Amino acid sequence: MDDPNTTPSRIRGTALSADGTAIAYERQGDGPPVILVSGALATAATDAPLAALLAHRFSVFTYDRRGRGASGDTAPYAVEREIEDLAAVVGEAGGTASVHGMASGGALVLEAAAAGLPITQLSVYEPPFLTDPAGRRASAARRARLDGLLAADRRTDALELFLADVVPPGTLGRLKGSPVWGELESLAHTLAYDHAVLGDALVPTVRLREVTARVMVVDGGASPGWQRETVRAISEALPRGRHRTLTGQTHQVAPHVLAPVLEDYFAA
């Protein structure tokens, strides 16, 4: 392990996506490249704590996904454009990279790998697909309502609807009264992008068979049963899938718990 008192190099830059959209990224460290892909309502800053823990061994790239933070948002949105955005960051990393995706970012990473991006190995943490068709119908109705709120620019209502099933009971009120709420509102429109990445919300079993790279699919031991069932289904559908559970962790996984698992996996 490197000297913990050594400060990894940090470089900020912009990758130009295929449609001309500027994608802002930051690189920390000077080892083999690892790209972190964030989930819903998250930016590169969200992944910064995990990046800092990995930067002593890897060259870690975090980036603002399309429509977030310092990145552009060329219309119309399409999942293919987000894959091109990731391809542009892979290009900045040297042409190939290991990639980790969180939640809907994990769904994006899996689709990018299936589409043929030069990802050497990847890991994902609890992509929010479903395994139950009945749950898909309920999810589709909720997504349609959320998309309608976003189309009407009712960002607060859209956030409340999304977060009601994400944050612990009693937390939403405190969140609305905090400075973080304004930041979340600025990202609310990208919830529709994450919905597009998830497709019909069911685990894309057939598509996953096209992922040729090895994949570690991770869940938290304290996460809800449906999420853990989803992770098992994803790992079983992948030709080179591997399932890993982090004891005591939830969907809001602690960076200091996840980091050594990713380090061992990507260094292998």
Side-chain angles (χ1 to χ4, degrees):
M1 181 178 293
D2 294 349
D3 182 348
N5 295 318
T6 300
T7 302
S9 62
R10 300 182 66 168
I11 297 173
R12 289 183 174 88
T14 301
L16 199 63
S17 193
D19 70 347
T21 302
I23 303 299
Y25 71 85
E26 180 173 288
R27 189 191 80 191
Q28 296 186 57
D30 297 293
V34 172
I35 299 173
L36 305 182
V37 183
S38 60
L41 300 176
T43 65
T46 310
D47 287 331
L50 178 59
L53 292 170
L54 295 171
H56 74 97
R57 188 164 187 177
F58 303 101
S59 180
V60 186
F61 288 74
T62 55
Y63 72 99
D64 290 329
R65 287 174 56 191
R66 178 173 294 240
R68 312 174 192 216
S71 290
D73 193 18
T74 306
Y77 176 83
V79 176
E80 291 77 10
R81 303 293 82 74
E82 281 229 66
I83 293 173
E84 291 167 355
D85 298 346
L86 178 53
V89 179
V90 172
E92 294 292 321
T96 61
S98 299
V99 181
H100 172 72
M102 176 65 194
S104 59
L108 176 61
V109 168
L110 289 169
E111 176 58 27
L117 256 66
I119 297 172
T120 55
Q121 55 193 338
L122 59 149
S123 72
V124 295
Y125 190 89
E126 296 190 354
F129 291 114
L130 300 172
T131 58
D132 181 9
R136 182 188 66 80
R137 289 190 290 272
S139 174
R142 183 170 169 274
R143 286 166 60 172
R145 183 182 171 199
L146 191 148
D147 288 346
L149 292 172
L150 292 174
D153 202 28
R154 294 171 57 183
R155 289 173 175 257
T156 295
D157 293 337
L159 279 175
E160 288 180 345
L161 176 63
F162 175 78
L163 292 172
D165 292 335
V166 176
V167 300
T171 303
L172 184 57
R174 294 193 297 273
L175 190 60
K176 288 180 65 177
S178 74
V180 175
W181 189 258
E183 299 175 15
L184 294 177
E185 283 196 333
S186 72
L187 299 171
H189 64 288
T190 63
L191 291 172
Y193 301 174
D194 288 298
H195 284 168
V197 169
L198 292 172
D200 69 358
L202 291 177
V203 173
T205 303
V206 174
R207 185 61 164 161
L208 291 177
R209 293 175 187 150
E210 300 180 33
V211 178
T212 58
R214 69 187 188 109
V215 186
M216 180 171 65
V217 191
V218 189
D219 61 10
S223 290
W226 71 266
Q227 286 185 321
R228 302 195 64 198
E229 182 179 347
T230 291
V231 164
R232 286 192 293 271
I234 292 171
S235 62
E236 290 170 2
L238 290 160
R240 301 176 65 191
R242 166 188 172 188
H243 179 202
R244 177 71 182 267
T245 295
L246 302 185
T247 304
Q249 293 299 301
T250 66
H251 191 63
Q252 306 301 321
V253 61
H256 74 274
V257 175
L258 180 59
V261 175
L262 294 181
E263 181 175 340
D264 289 346
Y265 176 69
F266 287 140

